[in-house]
């Protein structure tokens, strides 16, 4: 076999391996800087993923299984807190067919006070808060349990966050 043909054959055989090693791009987000609004009754943690959600919102419903999976097994130092824009706890319980999973730390924001403090204009939207500082904003439904998302959250939590 001639050298160029052998090289072509070798590259052809290895090309699936190089494709499999490529990492997927990180999920889209908007970088934020500045103090986060103070939230009462948030579990103590260095990092909090603050999620604004509603059971009547189709994109919110879409991301719920991945959000629950992330909340049950979060990266080190992260807690998930969900603010529901539902009108009643019964609506939330009906959606979950019982009480919401406790790792979501779900609470009602029917008066939109917490949402207003974060400037929420659409659902779902999530904010990563680290050491009391807003770090990132994620608009729209996300695959919270995806490897790329977990890596991104871990990286954002580890990064230094300068005071503004």
């Amino acid at each position: 076999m001639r050298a160029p043909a052998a090289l072509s054959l070798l590259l052809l055989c290895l090309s699936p391996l190089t494709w499999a090693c490529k990492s997927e791009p990180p999920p889209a987000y908007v970088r934020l800087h500045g103090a986060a609004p103070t939230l009462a009754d948030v579990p103590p943690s260095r990092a909090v993923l603050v999620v604004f959600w509603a059971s009547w919102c189709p994109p919110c419903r879409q991301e719920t299984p991945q959000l629950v999976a992330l909340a049950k097994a979060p990266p080190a130092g992260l807690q998930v807190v969900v603010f529901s824009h539902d009108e009643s706890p019964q609506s939330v319980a009906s959606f979950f067919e019982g009480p919401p999973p406790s790792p979501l730390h779900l609470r009602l924001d029917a008066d939109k006070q917490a949402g207003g403090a974060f400037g929420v204009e659409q659902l779902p939207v999530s904010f990563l808060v680290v050491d009391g500082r807003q770090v990132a904003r994620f608009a729209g439904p996300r695959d919270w349990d995806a490897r790329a998302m977990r890596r991104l959250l871990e990286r954002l939590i580890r990064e230094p966050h300068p005071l503004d």
Side-chain angles (χ1 to χ4, degrees), residues 132-144:
R133 315 284 302 160
Q134 292 187 60
V135 173
R137 178 180 185 272
F138 301 90
R142 301 299 167 138
D143 186 355
W144 292 109

Side-chain angles (χ1 to χ4, degrees), residues 49-60:
L49 182 65
V50 180
V51 180
F52 292 91
W53 173 98
S55 66
W56 46 260
C57 163
C60 300

Side-chain angles (χ1 to χ4, degrees), residues 78-153:
L78 178 71
Q79 290 284 328
V80 175
V81 176
V82 176
F83 285 90
S84 173
H85 281 206
D86 285 280
E87 294 297 322
S88 72
Q90 293 80 11
S91 300
V92 175
S94 176
F95 172 74
F96 284 107
E97 298 177 352
S102 60
L104 291 179
H105 303 285
L106 192 139
R107 66 265 339 261
L108 287 183
D109 189 31
D111 63 0
K112 316 291 189 282
Q113 190 172 355
F118 277 89
V120 171
E121 295 177 356
Q122 70 176 20
L123 297 177
V125 63
S126 305
F127 298 85
L128 181 62
V129 176
V130 179
D131 296 329
R133 315 284 302 160
Q134 292 187 60
V135 173
R137 178 180 185 272
F138 301 90
R142 301 299 167 138
D143 186 355
W144 292 109
D145 199 36
R147 205 159 98 206
M149 179 58 82
R150 286 179 169 277
R151 281 195 307 259
L152 175 61
L153 291 171

